[in-house]
């Protein structure tokens, strides 16, 4: 081979590989964007009555969910509750008020029970208000606990009366998250703190990075450049049950959106909130093969998943790939 060929041939191979990758990425982007647009349309027609009935009649409390899904699933949620409760402890002075918006059955309250403070659990679903109320019926301080029905988008709470607002895995379900953020800003006292978790960017890929590398690269880079993300599920996981549909409506999807750090930061900023801490957590994704493998290992799997968590949180760019976004 002549000297010229020795240089030209590898460059040609590299060029062909780059073109092939560009083609693959181009189709991925076109398909992802089309799917994103379709899903956005799906969540457009929700009405509040169906939304309420869905939460009252169809959605189990998180503790019921644990019974179905088992110990490994519970372990992974507990990590989130521990993280949220630890952050509340950092910011809540004695005698303070913490408002848990979309409180579920009060698993954050469980972790604050020893504090001399007031916990308000605001819930849309009557089923969760009953579950939280029943759990704390016998509770006698020092944390004063109450659960009541209300809407995150119109909170029955006076202005500037709360020290810490928690909203854990709730914003993704709201019809108008911007309204809820403005409400958070209204009810917080000046200098109060908002602690939020939600789905990070896209729980797709639920599969391994090898099965879907483009989605993973986009997710890492898209945290601060949201326009890079092609596939954006808005309605995951599924449609409203047929028996709940209003007359004449043949399908309806409730929002279960996925949040991108930079967009969410801007949403908070528009509502008057400054973001001073963010990270992601929960690696690897639910339903991935790794997750299933770990679950099958029982207690050992739970210990291993904690080690994976600690490692992933320390590696730049990988640390953005957790299934959940944490913002303060
Ligand atoms: C995934 S659960 C999370 C519950 C709880 N934060 C936890 O982490 O265990 C979402 C909760 O948001 C509540 N929710 C949905 N829309 C709401 C709204 N507009 N106002 C208040 N709560 C709402 C649901 O009833 C449900 O309990």
């Amino acid at each position: 081979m002549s000297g010229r060929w020795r240089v030209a041939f590898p460059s040609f191979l590299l060029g062909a590989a780059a073109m092939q990758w560009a083609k693959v990425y181009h189709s991925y982007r076109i398909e992802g964007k089309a799917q994103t647009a379709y899903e956005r349309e799906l969540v457009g027609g929700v009405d509040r009555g169906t939304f309420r009935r869905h939460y009252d009649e169809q959605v189990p409390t998180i503790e019921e969910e644990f019974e179905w899904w088992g110990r490994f699933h519970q372990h992974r949620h507990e990590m989130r509750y521990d993280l949220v409760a630890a952050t509340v402890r950092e910011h809540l002075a004695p005698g303070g008020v913490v408002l848990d918006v979309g409180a579920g059955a009060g698993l954050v309250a469980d972790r604050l029970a020893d504090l001399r403070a007031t916990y308000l659990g605001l819930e849309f679903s009557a089923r969760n208000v009953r579950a939280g109320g029943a759990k704390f019926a016998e509770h006698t301080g020092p944390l004063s606990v109450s659960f009541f029905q209300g809407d995150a988008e119109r909170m029955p709470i006076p202005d500037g009366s709360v020290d810490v607002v928690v909203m854990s895995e709730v914003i993704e379900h709201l019809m108008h998250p911007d309204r809820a953020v403005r409400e958070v800003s209204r009810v917080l006292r000046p200098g109060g703190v908002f602690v939020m978790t939600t789905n990070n960017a896209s729980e797709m890929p639920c599969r391994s990075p090898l099965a879907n590398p483009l989605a993973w690269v986009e997710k890492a880079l898209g945290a601060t450049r949201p326009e890079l993300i092609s596939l954006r599920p808005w309605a995951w996981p599924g449609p409203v049950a047929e028996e709940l549909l209003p007359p004449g409506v043949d399908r309806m999807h409730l929002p279960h959106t996925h949040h991108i750090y930079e967009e969410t930061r801007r949403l908070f900023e528009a509502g008057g909130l400054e973001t001073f801490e963010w990270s992601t957590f929960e690696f690897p994704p639910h339903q991935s093969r790794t997750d299933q493998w770990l679950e099958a290992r029982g207690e050992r799997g739970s210990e291993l998943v904690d080690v994976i968590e600690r490692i992933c949180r320390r590696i730049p760019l990988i640390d953005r790939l957790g299934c959940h976004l944490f913002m303060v």
Side-chain angles (χ1 to χ4, degrees):
M1 213 188 267
S2 77
R4 240 170 99 191
W5 264 104
R6 261 201 296 271
V7 176
F9 190 63
S11 313
F12 170 76
L13 282 183
L14 269 177
M19 269 172 67
Q20 183 58 24
W21 267 97
K23 222 170 105 190
V24 170
Y25 182 62
H26 181 68
S27 350
Y28 172 76
R29 187 142 180 95
I30 301 271
E31 278 166 32
K33 290 198 138 227
Q35 176 72 17
T36 301
Y38 169 71
E39 295 221 3
R40 186 193 270 281
E41 199 188 307
L42 283 183
V43 291
V46 181
D47 77 273
R48 202 163 281 276
T50 311
F51 189 88
R52 182 183 294 282
R53 287 189 61 203
H54 172 79
Y55 279 101
D56 276 348
E57 296 171 29
Q58 302 279 323
V59 180
T61 69
I62 196 89
E63 282 164 338
E64 287 165 342
E65 224 188 76
F66 290 161
E67 280 173 30
W68 296 337
W69 289 94
R71 181 62 205 136
F72 185 72
H73 179 81
Q74 179 171 350
H75 178 78
R76 301 202 73 187
H77 274 280
E78 278 168 352
M79 175 183 60
R80 170 170 63 85
Y81 294 120
D82 291 346
L83 174 67
V84 169
T87 315
V88 172
R89 282 173 181 274
E90 260 175 57
H91 296 285
L92 191 69
V97 177
V98 52
L99 168 69
D100 191 357
V101 179
L107 277 88
V108 171
D110 291 341
R111 286 158 173 79
L112 302 175
D114 61 305
L115 291 185
R116 193 171 58 75
T118 300
Y119 171 94
L120 307 173
L122 183 154
E123 245 303 327
F124 200 59
S125 133
R127 182 178 189 153
N128 270 318
V129 173
R130 280 196 299 275
K135 191 162 74 177
F136 283 89
E138 309 287 309
H139 173 78
T140 50
L143 188 70
S144 146
V145 180
S146 55
F147 287 86
F148 54 97
Q149 205 161 6
D151 186 346
E153 295 174 17
R154 271 171 301 180
M155 299 186 200
I157 306 278
D159 296 1
S161 59
V162 174
D163 299 283
V164 178
V165 174
V166 168
M167 210 193 259
S168 185
E169 306 305 299
V170 175
I171 202 166
E172 66 271 24
H173 298 287
L174 302 179
M175 288 160 67
H176 304 285
D178 53 325
R179 291 186 193 162
V181 169
R182 281 200 298 274
E183 280 293 85
V184 170
S185 186
R186 179 184 68 74
V187 303
L188 274 176
R189 68 163 169 76
V193 173
F194 180 35
V195 182
M196 192 217 57
T197 75
T198 187
N199 299 319
N200 178 29
S202 146
E203 279 186 21
M204 326 290 163
C206 283
R207 285 163 290 148
S208 89
L210 292 177
N212 201 349
L214 293 173
W216 286 79
V217 171
E218 281 192 351
K219 187 167 168 166
L221 302 179
T224 47
R225 299 282 308 276
E227 67 281 5
L228 291 180
I229 293 190
S230 310
L231 179 63
R232 182 79 184 273
W234 297 98
W236 193 78
V240 172
E242 220 171 286
E243 64 271 23
L244 295 187
L245 292 175
V249 175
D250 62 353
R251 67 169 189 188
M252 195 184 274
H253 285 73
L254 297 183
H256 188 156
T257 55
H258 294 75
H259 290 253
I260 294 166
Y261 163 68
E262 178 57 21
E263 267 181 17
T264 314
R265 186 195 67 73
R266 284 186 220 146
L267 179 76
F268 289 178
E269 192 176 55
L273 300 167
E274 182 194 354
T275 302
F276 58 88
E277 188 183 332
W278 79 280
S279 59
T280 79
F281 62 97
E282 215 175 295
F283 311 78
H286 285 296
Q287 301 163 29
S288 65
R289 286 219 185 137
T290 319
D291 191 67
Q292 286 161 7
W293 185 87
L294 288 164
E295 181 166 9
R297 309 262 104 46
E299 264 314 299
R300 186 96 190 96
S302 297
E303 285 162 21
L304 267 173
V305 88
D306 291 343
V307 175
I308 295 174
E309 187 74 24
R310 282 198 290 274
I311 295 172
C312 290
R313 284 207 211 177
R314 281 180 176 74
I315 305 176
L317 287 181
I318 300 287
D319 62 352
R320 296 174 166 198
L321 297 178
C323 293
H324 296 275
L325 182 60
F326 171 72
M327 291 174 64
V328 182

